[in-house]
Amino acid sequence: MAKVGVLLSGCGVFDGSEINETVISLLALDRAGAEVVFMAPNMKQAVVNYFTGELVDGVSRNVLDESARIARGQVSDIAGIKAADLDALFIPGGFGAAKNLCDFAFKGPDCEVHPEVARLIQEIVAANKPLAAVCIAPALVAKVLGHDRSDLQVTIGTDPETAEAVASMGATHVSCPVDEIVIDKKNQIITSPAYMLASSISEAAVGIEKTVGALMEMVAA
Amino acid sequence: MAKVGVLLSGCGVFDGSEINETVISLLALDRAGAEVVFMAPNMKQAVVNYFTGELVDGVSRNVLDESARIARGQVSDIAGIKAADLDALFIPGGFGAAKNLCDFAFKGPDCEVHPEVARLIQEIVAANKPLAAVCIAPALVAKVLGHDRSDLQVTIGTDPETAEAVASMGATHVSCPVDEIVIDKKNQIITSPAYMLASSISEAAVGIEKTVGALMEMVAA
């Protein structure tokens, strides 16, 4: 049974992992026979008001605690996870990937990445294990790997500003519609736009299910 | 386009709506062409630590705010929703259905139901519109409708104690495996065990997808 790490960043599109993307991924992974290993960084996060989109002043939550809501309690601190524990890594989107796992949402290409997140992504790729990322999470992958792997190819969909930021971090950005995926065969990295472009949950599901399918093919290869 | 109300109770299995059940339902509803209308009660809820399962002392959140995480911000106070706005109602499970929408988790058959939740369930059934509920949510439906409708049939799976509690609220409990559904044709109520019995997300999905299918058939009839 393939062990696929799912790297969460909280619970909810505006300050954590996008919930629909995550659950669609989990269902596809389970149906493909994968065993999921949930992980998240043990760190504070800012909290968004989901009606206004504004930050809630003076309130913080813990990313690991909030991620446990999606994981039904079964989530590990990423600091304790090694590439050797996994056959592949999957990173759902949501602003948590760009606010908590790194701060791309605030600093763009000059962002910093949570050190344990950077470590695990580097370890996975160095171990020749496949990695998939959807929505805005490919920007995180570009930041971690772009300058060491000039042949890296990822997509965040079609948004010109975000694509330019991804390119400036050293990756090649490939435009991609919501129902398609970009496969970087050499680096074994699969990306898809999901809610960067999706206007409905079933639209998001098409690309995510293809992403999981391609990931599981690489695991089996 | 059929409008299906989805009644949320927070965000997370231990103190809100079960996230996997909810997203599986949303995906099935969207694929069936339904327009989803999210709603939740505007009320305080207790917060659970997802690692220990214990309540977090001195902390509360708002059910409507937390539900907005699943709904990507688009959720209405149930107080403003009428049966006339909807073609059907769907209630996912999770402890929120038994702690926030009612207090069945604490008081069993003697529980009280949030007045707006009770009102909308009664309105939907009185208007001859179909209603579906999964996991523990059928206990809520039994409490609201059981004593007025002695022919009401629902399932919460196979747990004898919960089944007995459902029966003592006036409904007939029908044992049901995780991959099946119970259809009460007369009252147009569909129920399925979901995570009352499921040991994996894909197992939960089988019954939930059947539930949504049966609900949409009733809407179209």
Side-chain angles (χ1 to χ4, degrees):
Chain A
M1 195 177 225
K3 284 193 180 179
V4 179
V6 173
L7 172 50
L8 300 175
S9 61
C11 182
V13 56
F14 299 133
D15 55 9
S17 289
E18 211 295 318
I19 291 172
N20 291 346
E21 288 177 2
T22 305
V23 176
I24 291 165
S25 308
L26 298 177
L27 182 58
L29 286 165
D30 195 46
R31 283 179 167 164
E35 178 189 341
V36 166
V37 178
F38 290 105
M39 68 196 73
N42 187 356
M43 63 182 287
K44 281 190 181 180
Q45 63 159 95
V47 176
V48 167
N49 177 313
Y50 275 61
F51 294 96
T52 64
E54 302 292 320
L55 286 180
V56 182
D57 269 348
V59 175
S60 72
R61 294 181 183 178
N62 179 285
V63 172
L64 190 60
D65 286 351
E66 297 310 308
S67 298
R69 294 179 170 272
I70 299 182
R72 297 169 52 88
Q74 302 299 311
V75 59
S76 298
D77 184 340
I78 190 174
I81 305 282
K82 294 172 169 44
D85 303 327
L86 306 172
D87 296 303
L89 184 64
F90 187 97
I91 314 177
F95 275 102
K99 290 178 171 179
N100 303 331
L101 303 186
C102 68
D103 55 5
F104 178 81
F106 308 112
K107 297 186 185 166
D110 297 325
C111 62
E112 288 180 38
V113 179
H114 187 285
E116 295 294 340
V117 170
R119 173 195 57 80
L120 187 63
I121 291 173
Q122 283 160 345
E123 273 185 24
I124 285 282
V125 175
N128 292 315
K129 294 180 178 182
L131 183 158
V134 299
C135 189
I136 193 63
L140 164 70
V141 175
K143 179 67 185 184
V144 175
L145 300 175
H147 281 296
D148 289 337
R149 294 180 179 253
S150 58
D151 53 358
L152 180 71
Q153 294 192 330
V154 298
T155 190
I156 50 76
T158 56
D159 179 63
E161 196 184 336
T162 313
E164 194 181 309
V166 165
S168 77
M169 294 187 291
T172 297
H173 182 266
V174 183
S175 271
C176 180
V178 66
D179 57 348
E180 283 301 334
I181 63 178
V182 168
I183 302 182
D184 176 340
K185 277 194 188 172
K186 175 148 179 263
N187 294 301
Q188 295 197 88
I189 289 173
I190 306 146
T191 50
S192 188
Y195 271 108
M196 287 296 289
L197 290 176
S199 59
S200 69
I201 183 171
S202 53
E203 211 171 69
V206 176
I208 294 169
E209 289 172 353
K210 284 185 184 176
T211 301
V212 169
L215 186 72
M216 296 304 288
E217 270 183 37
M218 279 189 187
V219 169
Chain B
M1 196 177 223
K3 284 193 181 180
V4 178
V6 172
L7 172 50
L8 300 176
S9 60
C11 181
V13 56
F14 300 133
D15 55 8
S17 289
E18 210 296 317
I19 290 172
N20 291 345
E21 288 177 2
T22 304
V23 175
I24 290 164
S25 308
L26 298 177
L27 181 58
L29 286 165
D30 195 45
R31 284 179 166 163
E35 178 188 341
V36 165
V37 178
F38 289 105
M39 67 196 74
N42 188 355
M43 63 183 286
K44 280 190 183 180
Q45 63 159 94
V47 176
V48 167
N49 177 312
Y50 275 61
F51 294 96
T52 64
E54 302 292 319
L55 285 180
V56 182
D57 269 349
V59 174
S60 72
R61 295 182 182 177
N62 179 285
V63 173
L64 190 60
D65 286 351
E66 297 310 308
S67 298
R69 293 178 171 271
I70 300 182
R72 296 169 51 89
Q74 303 298 310
V75 58
S76 299
D77 184 341
I78 190 174
I81 305 283
K82 294 174 170 46
D85 304 327
L86 306 172
D87 296 303
L89 184 63
F90 187 97
I91 314 177
F95 275 101
K99 289 179 171 178
N100 302 332
L101 304 185
C102 69
D103 54 7
F104 179 80
F106 309 112
K107 297 186 184 165
D110 296 326
C111 64
E112 288 181 39
V113 179
H114 187 286
E116 295 294 340
V117 170
R119 173 195 57 79
L120 186 62
I121 291 172
Q122 284 161 344
E123 273 185 27
I124 285 282
V125 175
N128 292 315
K129 294 180 178 182
L131 184 159
V134 299
C135 189
I136 193 63
L140 164 71
V141 175
K143 179 65 184 185
V144 175
L145 300 174
H147 282 296
D148 289 338
R149 295 178 178 253
S150 59
D151 53 0
L152 181 70
Q153 294 193 330
V154 297
T155 190
I156 50 76
T158 56
D159 178 63
E161 195 184 336
T162 313
E164 193 182 308
V166 165
S168 77
M169 295 187 290
T172 297
H173 182 267
V174 183
S175 272
C176 179
V178 66
D179 57 348
E180 282 301 333
I181 63 178
V182 168
I183 302 182
D184 176 339
K185 277 194 187 171
K186 177 150 178 260
N187 294 302
Q188 294 195 91
I189 289 173
I190 305 146
T191 50
S192 188
Y195 272 108
M196 288 296 289
L197 290 177
S199 58
S200 69
I201 184 172
S202 54
E203 210 171 70
V206 176
I208 294 170
E209 289 172 353
K210 284 185 185 176
T211 301
V212 169
L215 186 72
M216 295 305 288
E217 270 183 36
M218 279 189 188
V219 169

